[in-house]
Amino acid sequence: MSKESETLEVPVGWKEPEFKPEDNKHGMLDESSFATLFPKYREKYLQECWTIVKNKLSEYKIEGILDLIEGSMTVKTSRRTWDPYAILNARDLIKMLARSVPIEQAVRIFEDNTFCDIIKIGSMVRNRERFVKRRQRLVGPNGATLKALELLTGCYILVQGNTTTVLGSHAGLKEARKVILDTMKNIHPVYNIKSLMIKRELSKDPNLKNESWDRFLPKFKRKNVKQKRKPRKEKKPYTPFPPPQPESKVDKEIASGEYFLKEAERKRKKDEERKEKQGVATSERKQKRARSLIPPQEKKVEEKTSVTKDVDVEILKMKVKQSKLKTRKSQKS
């Protein structure tokens, strides 16, 4: 046989037939079980929704046990369990319930082509403050970034504590995991969301199905932003002896000789010190009051001196005569 005949293409829109109880009439030969612990704050919610969990597990003949004393959930198969993969879905179900995933979303794990991925992000960043900031960046303002990521990947994403739970198809899980890990590596999720939007539009074009999309995707360069260096504290020379203890009140009194005075003398000395302090305070207060009563200095106004120039009388007479002549000529005309 040639290589061309060996490779077969899956037809478009083909779906694998569902696995039904008729396909496995004999059930399971051996028992399998999985257990997981849950935090104390999830106890009330699990008690309320455990009937829904049991009903869902009973469809696949799987037994579910909720132990409130130990704080654990257990799922195990029976001889009547007809779907061998259902126990793995049940294991993922209790894992998601322990990580604050609501029952409405967690039950979707039993659907075909629906899988879950629990990504541990707590150990990716050492500094706690930096970790909280990057986790908040993934969620975005009012959960906008996380909602956009859910719409583009077609997955349900929940960020809780040190883990992120993703529920959806294999392709969606792969894309969501990449974005989450890049965010914790200090790459903003907006860049990945932009490239996902471009890929979504390119997938609609059948001509670009077998071509590389690298030329259409944006390329972002990483910028090394210089951070302000903290001033280094100068290390003091090492001494094996401890620092001297501060003097107590009694030691100070002994040094000044106050300790050996009589009670009356000590009281008189304290009164004198108090009066001195009061006198200084009253004098400062009086000076402050006096400052407001001092008038401001007025600006000196410079007197304008009129400069008298010597006037030539003869030239002035000539000008007057000329003006008179001009007036007479104008009158005659």
Side-chain angles (χ1 to χ4, degrees), residues 140-281:
N142 299 321
T145 309
L146 203 65
K147 191 70 182 171
L149 199 59
E150 283 181 352
L151 290 168
L152 289 166
T153 56
C155 298
Y156 171 79
I157 304 166
L158 179 75
V159 181
Q160 176 73 15
N162 294 330
T163 58
T164 305
T165 309
V166 188
L167 183 73
S169 62
H170 272 303
L173 292 179
K174 189 180 176 183
E175 290 172 350
R177 175 177 267 272
K178 184 183 178 297
V179 176
I180 291 160
L181 294 177
D182 284 350
T183 305
M184 300 315 292
K185 289 174 185 174
N186 202 21
I187 298 168
H188 204 282
V190 169
Y191 300 136
N192 284 313
I193 285 167
K194 193 174 182 181
S195 60
L196 283 172
M197 288 170 73
I198 294 163
K199 282 178 183 177
R200 194 177 186 182
E201 292 298 317
L202 291 169
S203 63
K204 293 175 184 177
D205 192 355
N207 298 325
L208 300 169
K209 188 179 179 181
N210 298 320
E211 289 185 22
S212 178
W213 294 348
D214 292 340
R215 55 198 170 106
F216 301 108
L217 298 175
K219 292 175 182 178
F220 302 104
K221 291 181 180 179
R222 295 187 73 177
K223 293 180 181 179
N224 293 326
V225 181
K226 289 183 180 179
Q227 294 180 349
K228 290 182 180 178
R229 289 184 178 179
K230 292 181 181 178
R232 288 184 179 179
K233 291 181 181 178
E234 292 182 1
K235 288 184 178 180
K236 293 178 182 178
Y238 173 73
T239 53
F241 307 104
Q245 288 186 350
E247 289 185 348
S248 64
K249 194 176 180 181
V250 177
D251 292 337
K252 286 176 183 177
E253 285 179 358
I254 290 166
S256 63
E258 235 178 281
Y259 184 79
F260 304 105
L261 296 172
K262 290 179 182 178
E263 189 66 35
E265 290 176 355
R266 201 180 294 157
K267 196 175 182 182
R268 189 176 69 249
K269 194 176 180 182
K270 280 183 179 179
D271 290 340
E272 285 174 3
E273 286 176 0
R274 196 186 300 113
K275 282 177 183 177
E276 280 180 14
K277 286 179 181 178
Q278 284 177 355
V280 172

Side-chain angles (χ1 to χ4, degrees), residues 38-44 68:
F38 61 86
K40 186 74 175 174
Y41 65 88
R42 291 291 290 170
E43 188 177 314
K44 191 180 177 183
L68 297 173

Side-chain angles (χ1 to χ4, degrees), residues 6 16 27-28 56 58 64 68 75 84 191 255 299 301 320 328:
E6 286 178 5
E16 195 174 341
M28 307 286 283
K56 189 68 182 175
S58 64
L68 297 173
V75 287
Y191 300 136
K299 291 180 180 179
V301 181
V320 171
R328 281 175 187 174

Side-chain angles (χ1 to χ4, degrees), residues 86-121:
I87 188 63
L88 298 177
N89 289 335
R91 177 201 62 185
D92 294 338
L93 173 69
I94 59 172
K95 274 188 180 180
M96 285 189 287
L97 288 171
R99 281 173 170 78
S100 300
V101 177
I103 187 67
E104 294 82 15
Q105 294 291 340
V107 168
R108 284 176 51 206
I109 194 69
F110 286 98
E111 294 175 8
D112 289 338
N113 201 27
T114 306
F115 309 92
C116 85
D117 189 9
I118 295 163
I119 305 159
K120 293 179 181 179
I121 57 174

Side-chain angles (χ1 to χ4, degrees), residues 2-13:
S2 60
K3 289 183 180 180
E4 291 180 4
S5 60
E6 286 178 5
T7 56
L8 298 171
E9 287 187 4
V10 179
V12 180

